[in-house]
Amino acid sequence: MLDEEPGRKRRRQWVHPIIAQRLQKGQFHTLFNDLRQDPNKFKAYCRMSMEAFDHLLVSLYPDLSFQDTSMRRCISPEQRFIVTLRFLATGNSFASLHFEFLLGISTISGIVCHTCKVIWQRLREAVMPTPKAEDWLRIAEGFYQSAQFPNCIGALDGKHIRVKKPPHSGSRYFNYKQYFSVVLMALADSNYKFVIVDIGAYGSTSDSRIFSASRMGERLQTNQLALPEPSRLPGSAGPPAPFVIVADEGFALSPHMMRPFPRRDLDDRKRIFNYRLTRARRYVECAFGILSSKWRVFMSSIQMNQDNATLVIQACVLLHNFTRIHDASTDADLGLNMTTPVSLDLGRPGRPGTAGLAVREIYADYFCSPEGALSWQLDAIRGRR
């Protein structure tokens, strides 16, 4: 008989007696079929409708299927998907899921990481493809109809995702909110879907620097995003205006990036521009809110290494878009009212470029013109509504 490896703890049993009862007492085997009898309970449990679940499972099935061995039965694709959804939907630890599904902790960890990777590989082109010129035009039409901001191709912002401190990272991940994080930089459309994302930047880095260093920012600066040609604003006889992204004061002004006027020397015209920009910009903030409320793994620190945390964030972003497409909620369901006034976050003065200043002036003039003005905008900026 071979000697055991020195320092290695001898395994007492091949399978723990509790885990051995998985087929009889595990949550998947006792609850899943009952949930399928009640669509509302199923959606609350999986964070998506039964139809959306089945549709997505068909796409993921080949990569989640494994063969039985002479030693043990494999875990079915359905159970792998359910375990992953419950982790993303609740943020429960692997230890908690271990007692719910009667699977080993390391097994659950492997299932979650593998399934998130498969979701990113299989779903990305379907729900977050690289935008083309016609896609930008469709997004711009959505912003004009919903937020009355023409030629807007997206709202941009960054969200800090809380993570455990990576080893030997110093203060690189420690953000101004006093916790460790990576940044999800996202461009969202008027349906609260993410169009382009950049994931994994240090929490200590500013939004402007993250965007400039991202592939999204580089492609915007080098005119590689396939943006439509500038066009006149609706009803206007003025010069053609470029298609723009709306963002807060944390980003640099440029011909394709609009930020609010700084706080100093604000007149009604500048306040109106800030108000109109903020109405469009909050779509990305609402998208982040919907993402976090549905996938509550973001409500606490993700206790995984950086690579696996990135996989989790990627999967949640795609599942967010997938459910927006297949289970789209109304504004009332989300608790949103896009016709109400918004508070103006005017920010600090920056150092914008000349071309960006000129483009901002075109939009500011348009929003105060008869063709572009809203009937309530003056009341909104003066606090009478």
Side-chain angles (χ1 to χ4, degrees), residues 132-301:
K132 301 177 181 177
E134 54 269 25
D135 299 317
W136 293 124
L137 290 172
R138 175 182 50 78
I139 292 170
E141 179 63 22
F143 272 102
Y144 183 59
Q145 295 297 329
S146 301
Q148 294 76 53
F149 198 112
N151 286 18
C152 176
I153 57 170
L156 180 71
D157 204 359
K159 176 178 175 58
H160 287 274
I161 307 297
R162 192 186 296 262
V163 296
K164 72 174 183 179
K165 180 183 181 296
H168 315 297
S169 61
S171 61
R172 285 176 294 180
Y173 291 90
F174 196 68
N175 63 34
Y176 70 96
K177 298 181 179 181
Q178 306 299 303
Y179 59 82
F180 294 96
S181 68
V182 296
V183 177
L184 165 61
M185 183 68 60
L187 184 72
D189 66 13
S190 61
N191 191 35
Y192 314 105
K193 291 190 301 180
F194 297 115
V195 181
I196 304 175
V197 297
D198 181 84
I199 302 168
Y202 298 142
S204 62
T205 310
S206 67
D207 285 347
S208 182
R209 288 180 59 190
I210 293 172
F211 179 74
S212 298
S214 69
R215 188 164 180 265
M216 174 176 27
E218 291 175 353
R219 293 179 65 193
L220 181 66
Q221 294 167 9
T222 55
N223 297 318
Q224 295 180 0
L225 279 181
L227 299 183
E229 292 296 320
S231 64
R232 285 191 173 90
L233 301 179
S236 171
F243 286 78
V244 298
I245 293 169
V246 294
D248 61 21
E249 69 282 354
F251 295 86
L253 185 68
S254 72
H256 293 292
M257 179 77 72
M258 293 290 100
R259 54 169 279 173
F261 282 102
R263 185 183 298 272
R264 65 179 187 275
D265 302 325
L266 281 177
D267 54 21
D268 280 353
R269 174 176 167 276
K270 293 180 179 180
R271 290 180 182 275
I272 287 172
F273 173 85
N274 288 359
Y275 169 72
R276 299 287 292 272
L277 182 141
T278 304
R279 294 185 76 248
R281 182 177 60 80
R282 63 179 173 168
Y283 277 89
V284 67
E285 296 180 353
C286 291
F288 285 145
I290 298 167
L291 176 75
S292 297
S293 63
K294 182 180 287 287
W295 308 109
R296 300 183 73 83
V297 68
F298 296 126
M299 293 297 188
S300 59
S301 177

Side-chain angles (χ1 to χ4, degrees), residues 36 73 128-129 142 155 157 232 238 281 298 316 355 359:
R36 294 192 68 91
R73 294 175 58 183
M128 198 173 63
D157 204 359
R232 285 191 173 90
R281 182 177 60 80
F298 296 126
C316 287
V359 173

Side-chain angles (χ1 to χ4, degrees), residues 311-350:
L311 287 175
V312 166
I313 299 169
Q314 289 174 337
C316 287
V317 165
L318 295 187
L319 289 172
H320 168 90
N321 278 10
F322 180 81
T323 54
R324 291 300 303 164
I325 294 170
H326 290 82
D327 299 325
S329 302
T330 64
D331 288 346
D333 294 333
L334 301 172
L336 304 175
N337 184 351
M338 300 309 291
T339 62
T340 57
V342 296
S343 59
L344 300 182
D345 187 1
L346 303 178
R348 301 180 297 277

